[in-house]
C-alpha cells in the first residue's frame, strides 16, 4: 500500500511511573519518551534507524481487513429463486 506509514513507538518504563493528576484528571508520567512517535516511509527505514541507534525492536505487521460495501437498498432488491421469509412478530 503506497499510503502505508511505519511508526516507531517506545515502550513505557518497567515500573510504570504513572500517576493521576487529581486536579485535571489527566494521567502523568516521568517517562520523557512516552509521547514520542517516529514515522517512517518504509519498514526498512524504521528498522535501519532503530538498529543504527542500537535499540532493540520488534515488527508488528499491519492487520488489513476487507470491508464489504453494504447498502440499505439491497434489502429490497428482487432476487430470483426462493423468496425470503421475514418474521414481523
Amino acid at each position: 500500500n503506497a499510503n502505508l506509514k511505519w511508526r516507531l513507538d517506545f515502550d513505557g518504563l518497567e515500573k510504570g511511573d504513572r500517576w493521576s493528576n487529581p486536579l485535571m484528571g489527566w494521567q502523568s508520567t516521568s517517562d520523557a519518551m512516552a509521547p514520542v512517535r517516529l514515522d517512517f516511509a518504509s519498514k526498512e527505514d524504521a528498522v535501519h534507524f532503530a538498529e543504527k541507534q542500537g535499540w532493540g525492536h520488534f515488527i508488528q505487521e499491519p492487520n488489513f481487513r476487507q470491508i464489504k460495501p453494504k447498502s440499505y437498498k439491497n434489502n429490497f432488491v428482487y432476487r430470483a429463486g426462493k423468496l425470503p421469509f421475514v418474521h414481523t412478530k
Side-chain angles (χ1 to χ4, degrees), residues 31-74:
D31 184 7
M33 296 304 283
V36 176
R37 289 183 174 170
L38 302 174
D39 292 328
F40 297 92
S42 70
K43 176 173 62 170
E44 292 78 20
D45 291 343
V47 169
H48 176 68
F49 182 80
E51 289 175 350
K52 186 176 164 185
Q53 298 298 323
W55 297 336
H57 63 279
F58 72 94
I59 298 170
Q60 183 176 356
E61 295 287 338
N63 189 9
F64 293 110
R65 294 187 305 160
Q66 186 70 359
I67 299 174
K68 185 177 176 183
K70 298 178 186 177
S71 177
Y72 180 70
K73 69 178 182 177
N74 288 340

Side-chain angles (χ1 to χ4, degrees), residues 12-13 15-20 27-31 34-35:
L13 292 175
K15 294 181 181 179
D17 292 332
R18 290 187 167 271
W19 63 91
S20 178
Q27 289 288 321
S28 300
T29 180
S30 61
D31 184 7

